[in-house]
Amino acid sequence: MKQALDALDSAFTRYGPDQICLSFNGGKDCTVLLHLYWAALHKRWQFHHSPVLLYITYGKPFPEMDEFVGMSTSRYACHLIRKESESVRSGLSDLLVSHPHIKAIAMGTRRGDPGGDTIDHFSITDSGWPQYMRISPILEWSYSDVWLMLRHFRIPYCSLYDQGYTSVGSTHNTQPNPALRSEHQGQYHPAYMLTDGSLERAGRV
């Protein structure tokens, strides 16, 4: 946790609170990150600044995720930037136009995520993408680390994770993790009961 908070503190030193937003879609990783981000922001500036969340929607997001994004925006007193777009890349292009002062984006990316093995805590976006500094404070966290923090601090999370979902994308490419199937037909154990983190994305189709 200290490494994550140190990365956020370094980000605020380099950019200031008004030049950073946090990519937030209601997933477990960015939920942990939002809690850390809120703590780091207010430790430095008390309550003079609010977190800015970036929610890019494409495909068909789960209604439960939409609802949780709204609840989290209120809970942490955030400013929400919502972009409905064809892809993350086009959503970031829209952000460049609508919010040109934003220079960096905090993300809940971890090593095991697609592309997570090629970045550092601070990495510029790839060639051909809108240019932002990607800040990944929980890059070295494991699946179990995320759930340990969520449950230890009783941080609210999206209800889908109690229905067996462990990695949530859109409704057309995500289903409950088969590794969590219960002995009761049609039921699944909650996400925090997955003991093998390598199976985190087993519910993606």
Side-chain angles (χ1 to χ4, degrees):
M1 187 184 302
K2 183 181 184 302
Q3 186 181 49
L5 290 170
D6 286 346
L8 287 168
D9 193 56
S10 178
F12 290 139
T13 298
R14 294 170 67 171
Y15 293 100
D18 298 325
Q19 292 184 307
I20 308 175
C21 67
L22 190 157
S23 179
F24 190 80
N25 67 353
K28 63 188 183 304
D29 301 320
C30 57
T31 296
V32 160
L33 181 56
L34 175 56
H35 195 77
L36 295 170
Y37 190 96
W38 184 90
L41 182 71
H42 294 306
K43 179 182 179 182
R44 178 177 280 227
W45 287 290
Q46 287 74 51
F47 292 89
H48 299 297
H49 297 277
S50 297
V52 177
L53 304 184
L54 173 64
Y55 181 29
I56 298 177
T57 61
Y58 57 95
K60 190 176 180 183
F62 283 89
E64 292 91 340
M65 284 292 200
D66 264 348
E67 180 181 359
F68 184 72
V69 168
M71 290 171 56
S72 298
T73 300
S74 298
R75 180 178 298 116
Y76 291 93
C78 300
H79 172 66
L80 179 66
I81 302 171
R82 179 165 182 156
K83 297 290 183 183
E84 295 183 6
S85 191
E86 297 178 355
S87 65
V88 172
R89 185 182 304 194
S90 59
L92 292 178
S93 295
D94 290 344
L95 184 69
L96 274 178
V97 176
S98 64
H99 296 75
H101 59 282
I102 292 177
K103 306 299 181 185
I105 301 175
M107 307 170 65
T109 303
R110 294 184 287 114
R111 282 285 179 218
D113 295 332
D117 58 340
T118 64
I119 63 173
D120 296 314
H121 286 99
F122 290 83
S123 293
I124 200 73
T125 45
D126 296 335
S127 176
W129 282 67
Q131 292 296 284
Y132 288 102
M133 178 61 74
R134 293 172 292 180
I135 305 166
S136 305
I138 63 169
L139 186 62
E140 305 299 341
W141 287 36
S142 67
Y143 179 85
S144 60
D145 289 336
V146 171
W147 281 109
L148 180 63
M149 178 166 174
L150 287 172
R151 300 193 71 216
H152 179 78
F153 291 101
R154 299 182 179 181
I155 300 169
Y157 55 83
C158 180
S159 62
L160 288 174
Y161 292 109
D162 285 333
Q163 301 172 34
Y165 292 85
T166 54
S167 176
V168 182
S170 300
T171 55
H172 70 275
N173 67 2
T174 311
Q175 61 187 15
N177 194 319
L180 290 173
R181 188 176 286 114
S182 167
E183 62 274 10
H184 302 293
Q185 187 173 5
Q187 297 184 22
Y188 292 81
H189 297 294
Y192 59 79
M193 292 187 67
L194 183 70
T195 56
D196 185 352
S198 69
L199 299 176
E200 177 181 356
R201 297 180 64 85
R204 293 296 190 106
V205 296

